[in-house]
Amino acid sequence: MEKKLTTNNYAKLGLATALIFIISIMAAVETALACPACNALYKKQIEEDMKGTLVGKELMAAMQAQANLPLEFSEATSHLFRSEQNTASQDHDFIEVIERDANLSIPATGYVDQEVEADVSFTVELDEGLAYLGNGVVYDGFRTNRSVPGPTIRVTEGDIVEIVVQNNGRIPHGASIHAAYTQTSKYLGEIPAGQSKSVKFKATIPGIYMYHCAPGGHAIPMHVMFGQYGMIIVEPAEQKFKLEEELGHGPDLEIDLIQHEWYSSGKNAVEGNPTYVTFNGEIFKYVKEPITAKPGDYVRINFMNVGPNLLSTFHLVGIIWDYAYWQGHPENVLVGGQTVTAGPSDTFVIEFRVPPDEGAYTMLSHAVGSTSRGAIGLLVADRDADTPKRIEATGPVYSEEELAELMEDANRIMSPFRAGTPDIDPPHTYGPETNEVTVRIIGNSYYPKTLEIDPGTKVTWINEDVFSYLAGEFSGIHNVVSTEGPTNLNSPMLAHAETWSYTFEEEGEYSYICTPHPYMEGIVRVRATDSDRDMASFMWTTIPALLALFIAIAAWKRKPEE
């Protein structure tokens, strides 16, 4: 359905629209936060403007169904969406469940009282910013501890673990901890900018796990696609991996290896079309700096395919695994094999011996499209290699000064949600023969990000993001609000498949954002008309010619008579 901006719309939206306008001004000075006012505004739209529509009915039903559930609602919007009987604490001790689990043959869950003292504590810092991929490419996206991937966290089975998540960014973030066999979103869900939250759990099951940003709803896949993730290793307390048992010692070389994807637009991210695929945060990282081991060394690789979209068939040329362990658990043993097949978030521990023959053993995904995009490296057998050692999966970390210098010298700057350099984000240009252009809102990004059009062109934005409502958040909603330009753009909130149109009459550049997700940026450039361009061309060519003629006549008149 098409939403049109009319005076009647403004009257109905009232104060909420004013709030959104204030937020857009804040965004213009780079202090905007994804705000609760957007959810309040859209709830008002549903109740007043969308009552009889299919989307309105479905969203009203979702709000009613979730109102009485023990979900973690945002503090700012809880009063709008939770029923009165569900506003009190719903915590219970569930002693009978804890006692039952203590007597089972399998490990207990990871639940612990949040007041218990932790054995180990780690801080995960989330923000938005720059990362350097190598090959002259700078990425503008989301980071963990100022890098992509974030730091590798290593604990031991049985540890009571505390994870503190600090939001150093300007928008809400959160965390999902796959190593925790217990509730985490309740404690680490939406974390407002500048705040922190924490969770404690017992690491009861050994393995290789993923952690990632999870602010809730539609934003969870988006923040993973934009770069916020890392690896957690839960080492077995007593049980040994089989090659360690047979050789009688631990690995000579241990490699924590993450395969992950980089996207230049939300559209490409949703469609699974990465620009780059890397190991541990850098294009061809271990080709430029090969990993070395001695012939005969015992190698253990803790491998994780973050994805978030592509399948990996990890392979080492010239190596057959002695053992591989699905999800990194020492009881999930696979004997032999040329590859491990890992979907997004799948993990393996891989063990082998370096053959008694010096030379290069190539690491790659045999889904070779990823290999050509950067997921390849070298393990070099060298008798002089410095082992034992461990390679961590943490991405490169640069200071702000170093990143500023890299930006100056970069061949390419890419971002999934705002325009990068023209080689990766060329403007979509339309001439006077085009009367209407469509911008799709997909993957928390406008596509195309930059339009060049003539006056009189109608631009229609359509929201292709599907996720709608969860625990007080309409996370798949978007809008169009200008931050600069000759005239103002201010659309209603758009749910999936809803549209809004605007006909551009005045020349100039219009910059706009989505107020619920102010990192989303788009540009519309309205060029001069042909008559304006012809007049400008005439002026630039005719005036200099007339001036030259005037100077020549003046010079001739001053010429002395012979």
Side-chain angles (χ1 to χ4, degrees), residues 227-243:
Q228 289 182 313
Y229 40 74
M231 176 186 286
I232 298 180
I233 300 172
V234 180
E235 296 181 318
E238 297 179 1
Q239 188 173 6
K240 296 185 184 301
F241 291 99
K242 291 186 71 65
L243 192 55

Side-chain angles (χ1 to χ4, degrees), residues 37-100:
C38 302
N39 284 300
L41 169 64
Y42 195 59
K43 183 173 185 287
K44 187 176 180 67
Q45 280 186 213
I46 293 167
E47 292 170 343
E48 295 186 1
D49 296 348
M50 301 167 61
K51 224 172 190 179
T53 68
L54 288 174
V55 173
K57 291 175 182 177
E58 290 171 14
L59 291 174
M60 289 292 290
M63 286 188 280
Q64 291 167 7
Q66 295 177 25
N68 292 315
L69 296 178
L71 298 172
E72 187 67 9
F73 286 74
S74 166
E75 292 180 9
T77 57
S78 177
H79 65 287
L80 293 174
F81 296 96
R82 299 186 78 163
S83 64
E84 290 184 9
Q85 62 265 35
N86 199 30
T87 54
S89 172
Q90 297 294 310
D91 291 339
H92 301 283
D93 290 330
F94 298 112
I95 296 299
E96 70 283 358
V97 176
I98 296 170
E99 291 174 346
R100 181 204 66 187

Side-chain angles (χ1 to χ4, degrees), residues 130-133 136-140 403 406-407 410 412-414:
L130 304 177
Y132 182 59
L133 281 67
V137 180
V138 171
Y139 179 75
D140 181 3
L403 287 169
L406 289 166
M407 280 281 281
R412 169 175 288 176
I413 300 168
M414 62 178 250

Side-chain angles (χ1 to χ4, degrees), residues 287-356:
V287 174
K288 293 180 283 189
E289 299 178 10
I291 300 170
T292 58
K294 295 184 184 74
D297 273 352
Y298 162 22
V299 179
R300 179 184 295 166
I301 299 178
N302 302 311
F303 178 75
M304 176 167 69
N305 176 25
V306 160
N309 287 308
L310 302 185
L311 191 75
S312 172
T313 54
F314 181 71
H315 172 65
L316 254 157
V317 177
I319 299 295
I320 296 175
W321 318 137
D322 288 321
Y323 302 102
Y325 308 82
W326 180 67
Q327 300 294 336
H329 195 293
E331 294 181 6
N332 297 337
V333 187
L334 300 171
V335 178
Q338 61 190 319
T339 60
V340 290
T341 302
S345 83
D346 270 345
T347 61
F348 284 88
V349 166
I350 302 161
E351 295 185 307
F352 60 91
R353 294 151 294 148
V354 179

Side-chain angles (χ1 to χ4, degrees), residues 448-518:
K449 299 172 189 171
T450 304
L451 285 179
E452 291 183 351
I453 58 175
D454 278 19
T457 304
K458 178 182 178 182
V459 177
T460 297
W461 285 265
I462 179 169
N463 184 4
E464 297 288 4
D465 281 333
V466 179
F467 197 98
S468 56
Y469 174 80
L470 177 65
E473 182 186 9
F474 301 102
S475 55
I477 60 169
H478 300 291
N479 67 351
V480 176
V481 175
S482 57
T483 56
E484 287 185 83
T487 59
N488 290 327
L489 309 177
N490 193 349
S491 81
M493 294 292 177
L494 305 176
H496 174 63
E498 291 184 332
T499 65
W500 179 74
S501 299
Y502 186 86
T503 301
F504 289 85
E505 302 291 356
E506 294 190 42
E507 300 167 13
E509 182 165 300
Y510 300 73
S511 299
Y512 63 91
I513 63 166
C514 169
T515 50
H517 312 98

